[in-house]
Each structure stands twice: as C-alpha cells, then as structure tokens.
Amino acid sequence: MVKIGRNDPCWCGSGKKYKKCCYGKLPIGGVQPVSKFQPVKKGQLSPARSIPAHIIRPSYAETGTPAGARSRNAVRTQDEIDRMRVAGQVARTVLDTILSSVRVGITTDELDRIAHEMCIELGAYPSPLNYHHFPKSICTSVNEVICHGIPDDRPLADGDIVNCDVTVFIDGVHGDCSETVFVGKPDPLSIRLVQTTYECMMKAIEAARVGTTVNSIGKAIAPIAKREGFSIVRDFAGHGIGTQFHQDPQIVHYPDIRQTQKIVPGMTFTVEPMINVGTHRCVVWSDDWTAVTADGKRSAQFEHTVLITSDGFELLTAGTGQPHFMRQLKTGWS
Ligand code: MF3
Ligand code: CO
Ligand code: CO
C-alpha cells in the first residue's frame, strides 16, 4: 500500500502540499458509513463451476498460483498481438452479454453462470477462476465495492450500480475489460460518478502516448476526478497483460513521479481507474477479496486492454458503439 504524507505533493497533481489541498476534504480513516444507501451484504456462493477438459487452462487453474515469475517484459511479439486481438474480442463478447442481462432481481451468481458458460462456448477459460484461489469466473462489484466482488446470491436492487469485470484466457493470452452499469433507475450522483469514471479511463488512454511515461495515465485522470470532487483509488492498479494475467508494467491511476517507465510501441496493458464519491481509502472483507470504500460511499470502474502503437493506441477490448451505461441513459431503464 502507498501512503501519502501531509507535506507530500497532493495526489491530485495541483503541485500544492497535500495538507493545503485535498487533505481536509477527504474523510480520514475510521469514519462511520455516511452513505444514504444500505451497505452491500455478502451473500451465499453457489458450488464451484467446472471447465471441460478440451478448454486450455492457464498455469494456475489447478494450483491457484501462476507458474514462473512475474514477467517484466512489457512488449509483445506480432504473434502475441494477433492472439490478444482475439482474446480481447472474446472478453468483449462475454462482457456485452452479461451487461445486457443486468436487471433488477438478477443475482450476480446468475451473471457469473452466463459468463462462465459463454467463455466455454467460445473456447476460452474464464481467467479469474482459481486465480490466486478466486472462487468464481468474473468479478461483480456493487455500489461501494471497489473491485474483486465475488458473484453470489444477492439480487441486484433498483438504484444499484454494478461493475462487471471479464477476463478470458484463449490461445495462451488474456484479454481483460469491465464496465459499470445502472440497475433500475439511477440517482444523479451515481450518474455523475459513472460518467466521470468513463471519462477518466478514456482520457487516460488518449494520454498514454509513445515518448511519455506511464505516469501520463495518472496525470490525465487527476484533474478530471478533482473537478468532480471524487477520489482516485490508490491500492489497486492496472497491469501489463499478455501470456500472464497480471505482469509489468504496473499502471497506477494517480500522478506519481516514481512511475518512470517509458511507453513504447507493442506494449499491452490495462487502464482501469476506480473512482470514489468519498474517500479513496479501502477496506477488504474477510473473504480476502471484496474491496469496499472505507466510508461506504460508491465507487465505479471501467477497464480496457490497450495496445500501444507508434501513432496512438488500439483498444483490444473495443466494443461496437457506446458503452452500455450511455445506452441506458438514452433509452431508459427497466
Ligand atoms: N479482472 C481484474 C483486473 O482487472 C482482476 C481480477 S483477479 C481475480 O485486473 F482474481 F479477482 F479474479
Ligand atoms: Co479486469
Ligand atoms: Co485488469
């Protein structure tokens, strides 16, 4: 975990000291939940889902621990890139399917079942399953859950927001993407949170240009979050991705001059900012996965797997048209 001192430069990139800038505006540890919403309660997990023998598994599928050391090689071969385009599009297809299934009353376990079965149908292994012993095939993070929510039997309720995070492993490589969507009728603050988080992700991807460093990502996000009075999660980061689910480089979403790695063509990494209404601080449930905001206020996230090219970027997990939440805002909800 990265700690920031009162006299350090503020996380928001203003150049001012933290204590003179955002310090007083964020609740400091140990606060009681102040949200008007009921906290998310942990539900029951369904029995483990199986993977048929013909699906090629990643190294951790049986053991829970990835084989070999974390790769520090950030640049992909042409062959890896070709395979990652396919993996990215399989992840997108699965994500689009579960996003369209989100409605009041459906359980996150049901979304997990749909995603799990679709992965198998498309010849892919759902990367989260048994990754460091994660028990399910996708992550579903509701309301104040920041990330790594475990699908369970809690039915989604009117006014919830839920992030669905899909990663697949196919032909030896991973593709990773997520979107946050509304359940039923959203409140204005949740709309602003979700819109802002999407803007943070897209502006950060546009800023990640060859010749800059990975710090350009956090530097692009900070002023947008600050403009809305939201905070940026610091304890979880984006990551290089390829033959390994999580590898170098680490992609933090706040400005940090220590992030000096140069961005070069052929890099593939995720950009996946988590933006909070209140404090950036988090607490992890005793299930050792579910990360929630320390103040119980809401958190949103979006994620793409990005390929850096000489003149820009390619979204390996691109969808067709607008993200799901924008369509919901246009056409209404049920
Ligand atoms: N998909 C998540 C990410 O964006 C990682 C989930 S790891 C799991 O990096 F084990 F929780 F599945
Ligand atoms: Co993900
Ligand atoms: Co990721």
Side-chain angles (χ1 to χ4, degrees):
M1 196 203 289
V2 188
K3 284 263 192 296
I4 176 170
R6 280 163 43 84
N7 287 312
D8 291 337
C10 189
W11 58 269
C12 75
S14 65
K16 288 191 268 188
K17 286 185 179 180
Y18 181 41
K19 67 180 179 192
K20 294 266 180 219
C21 189
C22 296
Y23 180 75
K25 293 173 201 155
L26 296 173
I28 308 303
V31 295
Q32 292 303 306
V34 288
S35 173
K36 62 175 172 167
F37 301 103
Q38 283 294 105
V40 172
K41 279 207 207 88
K42 189 171 173 64
Q44 295 287 318
L45 268 60
S46 62
R49 295 186 212 287
S50 62
I51 299 282
H54 71 273
I55 300 288
I56 297 176
R57 297 148 189 260
S59 64
Y60 53 81
E62 320 300 333
T63 62
T65 307
R70 177 182 168 107
S71 169
R72 273 173 291 168
N73 175 21
V75 178
R76 303 288 156 262
T77 65
Q78 187 56 53
D79 176 60
E80 285 169 335
I81 290 169
D82 291 342
R83 288 184 283 138
M84 285 187 72
R85 285 200 180 97
V86 176
Q89 285 308 299
V90 170
R92 168 55 54 185
T93 302
V94 175
L95 178 60
D96 282 346
T97 302
I98 57 174
L99 294 176
S100 338
S101 309
V102 167
R103 62 193 139 76
V104 174
I106 195 168
T107 64
T108 48
D109 183 65
E110 182 65 5
L111 298 175
D112 181 79
R113 186 190 64 76
I114 295 168
H116 182 92
E117 286 174 5
M118 189 153 196
C119 282
I120 292 168
E121 233 170 75
L122 297 173
Y125 180 96
S127 307
L129 187 61
N130 211 30
Y131 184 68
H132 295 288
H133 305 287
F134 189 82
K136 291 288 165 187
S137 300
I138 59 171
C139 297
T140 51
S141 300
V142 176
N143 298 347
E144 73 272 22
V145 181
I146 294 170
C147 63
H148 300 166
I150 303 174
D152 62 20
D153 68 353
R154 178 191 181 279
L156 293 174
D158 189 24
D160 282 350
I161 59 172
V162 60
N163 173 274
C164 298
D165 191 334
V166 171
T167 315
V168 304
F169 179 76
I170 183 167
D171 205 5
V173 293
H174 298 268
D176 190 4
C177 52
S178 84
E179 290 188 22
T180 300
V181 293
F182 306 118
V183 183
K185 183 174 165 29
D187 65 288
L189 179 58
S190 296
I191 293 175
R192 189 159 61 85
L193 175 67
V194 171
Q195 284 176 327
T196 303
T197 306
Y198 184 72
E199 182 185 354
C200 285
M201 175 185 69
M202 291 311 299
K203 290 279 161 57
I205 292 170
E206 286 168 7
R209 299 192 71 89
V210 170
T212 69
T213 67
V214 293
N215 193 27
S216 58
I217 290 158
K219 285 203 303 194
I221 292 171
I224 302 169
K226 186 178 166 73
R227 181 192 76 204
E228 302 295 332
F230 296 151
S231 67
I232 307 169
V233 170
R234 304 173 69 93
D235 291 350
F236 298 94
H239 48 93
I241 180 170
T243 56
Q244 295 183 357
F245 191 167
H246 293 138
Q247 59 172 83
D248 278 1
Q250 182 178 249
I251 304 291
V252 307
H253 299 104
Y254 54 91
D256 177 356
I257 51 166
R258 292 168 297 185
Q259 307 301 321
T260 54
Q261 183 155 6
K262 287 251 183 315
I263 293 177
V264 298
M267 276 183 160
T268 53
F269 53 76
T270 69
V271 176
E272 49 179 305
M274 287 141 276
I275 303 295
N276 298 353
V277 164
T279 181
H280 70 276
R281 286 167 195 274
C282 53
V283 176
V284 177
W285 284 0
S286 58
D287 62 14
D288 287 339
W289 282 108
T290 311
V292 300
T293 59
D295 60 7
K297 295 188 184 183
R298 290 186 167 191
S299 181
Q301 181 177 27
F302 287 85
E303 174 174 27
H304 268 306
T305 297
V306 177
L307 166 69
I308 300 299
T309 60
S310 54
D311 60 348
F313 61 87
E314 189 179 316
L315 298 178
L316 297 180
T317 47
T320 49
Q322 293 181 319
H324 200 81
F325 81 93
M326 285 191 193
R327 299 183 215 188
Q328 289 180 307
L329 290 176
K330 235 183 233 156
T331 61
W333 32 80
S334 55

